Amino acid sequence: MQEDISTVMSWFSSPVYSRYWQHYRQAMAWHQRHRRAYRKALEAAYGPCCYQEEGPGDRPRYADWSNSEDEADDAEESSSESEIECDVSNMEISEELRQYFAQTERHREELKKQQQMEAEQQGSYVPADQDLHSFSLRSSVAPPLERPGERRTAEMKKLYGGDAAKIMAMEAAMQLNFERNCDLKQPKYWPVIPLKL
């Protein structure tokens, strides 16, 4: 019975898991270095009173698994880290960081422009309970920049070639027929709202 317990309890020491434990030790070493750096940053910012050290009774959770090499590395790092002092006042900004800030500023400007365009488009939406024709007759103050229909005519010629005028006349006839029927019957438009509220 004692033999079974020892085999069950020692499964983690199998050579199959050695790579896992190697990664685990590396992660824990990084974690300890991070904690020390965090503590030093807090001490530098607020003074030594803000960070509570672990008491002598606090033992690391898996202290019996650590190697003597890890402990030597930690002691060496802690002695070298105590000599390191960070002075942020004379920090130089690299060209990459300047480019990053410039790119960030460009993205902010693009986002502002996008939000302005969306706000302008929101003004052109027709509420679902209103009639479409009352909103379609808005007049603009500025004159058009190009002749009306010039761009459309060019696109139609590109698409349909010589038959462009004929197709444009058919489209205009259909549109006029639709508008005449809308004027006669005054239909109520179905509200375009999501069904899942």
Side-chain angles (χ1 to χ4, degrees):
M1 182 75 176
Q2 187 70 343
E3 219 173 83
D4 294 335
I5 293 174
S6 65
T7 57
V8 169
M9 294 301 289
S10 66
W11 65 268
F12 51 83
S13 61
S14 171
V16 174
Y17 300 110
S18 63
R19 187 164 181 191
Y20 169 80
W21 292 118
Q22 178 186 3
H23 288 294
Y24 177 80
R25 283 190 294 275
Q26 289 173 350
M28 291 307 290
W30 175 88
H31 177 69
Q32 293 299 324
R33 287 193 306 269
H34 175 75
R35 285 184 59 202
R36 281 193 296 271
Y38 180 72
R39 177 180 48 83
K40 287 183 181 191
L42 284 178
E43 287 176 357
Y46 302 110
C49 63
C50 70
Y51 189 81
Q52 298 250 334
E53 280 293 325
E54 293 178 358
D58 297 338
R59 221 177 101 214
R61 183 181 260 175
Y62 302 111
D64 56 337
W65 290 0
S66 64
N67 289 340
S68 59
E69 296 171 5
D70 292 338
E71 292 170 2
D73 288 342
D74 288 344
E76 184 179 304
E77 286 175 10
S78 64
S79 65
S80 64
E81 284 180 6
S82 61
E83 299 167 2
I84 298 173
E85 190 171 306
C86 295
D87 184 18
V88 191
S89 61
N90 291 335
M91 188 171 98
E92 292 183 26
I93 298 176
S94 68
E95 187 59 33
E96 291 175 349
L97 189 57
R98 288 179 199 271
Q99 290 173 357
Y100 171 75
F101 287 147
Q103 182 69 24
T104 302
E105 192 60 33
R106 283 193 296 269
H107 282 225
R108 282 189 190 135
E109 292 298 323
E110 289 174 8
L111 184 62
K112 283 181 184 177
K113 287 179 184 175
Q114 177 101 13
Q115 288 172 346
Q116 287 174 352
M117 288 175 52
E118 287 176 1
E120 290 172 4
Q121 286 179 350
Q122 282 289 348
S124 67
Y125 285 130
V126 177
D129 60 344
Q130 299 293 324
D131 189 17
L132 180 65
H133 291 288
S134 63
F135 284 91
S136 64
L137 298 175
R138 294 182 183 172
S139 62
S140 64
V141 178
L145 298 174
E146 59 186 28
R147 285 182 27 204
E150 187 176 358
R151 183 181 299 162
R152 174 101 170 114
T153 306
E155 289 174 358
M156 294 297 279
K157 282 185 182 177
K158 184 178 180 183
L159 284 173
Y160 301 112
D163 294 332
K166 181 179 166 184
I167 292 174
M168 284 177 68
M170 288 172 28
E171 284 182 357
M174 287 178 64
Q175 185 67 37
L176 288 172
N177 190 19
F178 174 79
E179 288 177 1
R180 183 176 53 86
N181 285 325
C182 284
D183 289 341
L184 287 174
K185 307 208 183 210
Q186 298 289 320
K188 295 291 180 196
Y189 291 96
W190 186 262
V192 183
I193 57 174
L195 296 176
K196 293 181 181 179
L197 298 175

